[in-house]
Amino acid sequence: MVSFKSKGLFSKLYAWMPILLLLVSVLNEFDFNYLNLKYFSFNFPFMLIFYFTLKDFKYFDYLLVFFAGLINDTVVGLPLGISSLSYLLICFFTSYFRNITIRPSPIKDWFYFLFVISFINSINYTILNLFFSYNLILMMYLVNTFFTFLFYIIFVSLFKYYLKGLND
């Protein structure tokens, strides 16, 4: 693997890659409708925020996470602040979990991630349904939670590879 410590601008871009990837992912609200997969969706920003907050990544600033939530609300068409609230709650729960964990384990992290995204999605569903009278389909939230939970392990291995390249 190539070391990026003394490469100048490229190393700085590489160090800020998670935030840049978060901003691109909220700007590019991708969907799999063109594949005719009705019940398939996952929330990549949740995985990204959870992992890099859990690893206490120094370039992952909470203010930028908040702005990414505002951008996501604008792109998706949600009331401003819903995604920001979700993203900051993930940061809060993850930083708490990082501070109380004595021995980190990927399986414990994975199931805690399931708890966090279930809680966040239930808060989103409740707020959007009760306060803003959105007509939401609960099954879509359940499918999103399920696939986000399943894909988390795959993306964790990619994120670990990224951190290994950054630290080498």
Side-chain angles (χ1 to χ4, degrees):
M1 176 154 305
V2 177
S3 176
F4 293 113
K5 288 190 178 181
S6 64
K7 300 282 188 204
L9 179 64
F10 186 71
S11 66
K12 290 180 182 181
L13 283 176
Y14 189 76
W16 285 92
M17 182 86 64
I19 283 293
L20 295 172
L21 193 59
L22 177 65
L23 292 174
V24 167
S25 68
V26 297
L27 280 172
N28 182 20
E29 188 64 33
F30 63 90
D31 204 340
F32 288 96
N33 288 337
Y34 60 90
L35 294 176
N36 293 328
L37 298 174
K38 184 176 180 180
Y39 292 109
F40 180 75
S41 69
F42 63 96
N43 202 328
F44 181 71
F46 280 9
M47 292 185 272
L48 193 70
I49 292 168
F50 184 86
Y51 182 79
F52 285 103
T53 306
L54 185 64
K55 296 303 175 188
D56 198 20
F57 192 63
K58 66 180 177 180
Y59 296 106
F60 211 75
D61 189 21
Y62 293 169
L63 184 63
L64 295 174
V65 170
F66 177 79
F67 286 135
L70 292 178
I71 292 169
N72 187 48
D73 289 337
T74 305
V75 170
V76 175
L78 293 174
L80 281 179
I82 297 294
S83 296
S84 296
L85 175 67
S86 300
Y87 295 169
L88 289 178
L89 282 174
I90 291 172
C91 291
F92 170 75
F93 281 116
T94 308
S95 63
Y96 173 74
F97 184 67
R98 182 185 63 238
N99 288 330
I100 66 166
T101 302
I102 296 172
R103 288 183 299 184
S105 164
I107 300 299
K108 289 179 192 174
D109 298 348
W110 193 31
F111 282 103
Y112 187 72
F113 178 66
L114 176 64
F115 165 74
V116 169
I117 62 173
S118 299
F119 184 73
I120 297 299
N121 281 339
S122 66
I123 287 175
N124 281 344
Y125 181 82
T126 304
I127 289 173
L128 290 173
N129 201 8
L130 289 179
F131 295 115
F132 295 105
S133 300
Y134 274 61
N135 190 12
L136 301 171
I137 302 169
L138 184 60
M139 187 63 164
M140 297 307 283
Y141 273 94
L142 294 174
V143 166
N144 184 285
T145 301
F146 176 73
F147 282 114
T148 304
F149 172 68
L150 283 182
F151 286 150
Y152 177 73
I153 286 294
I154 297 167
F155 282 106
V156 160
S157 61
L158 295 173
F159 296 153
K160 283 181 184 177
Y161 186 74
Y162 164 78
L163 287 177
K164 184 179 175 188
L166 191 65
N167 294 329
D168 286 343

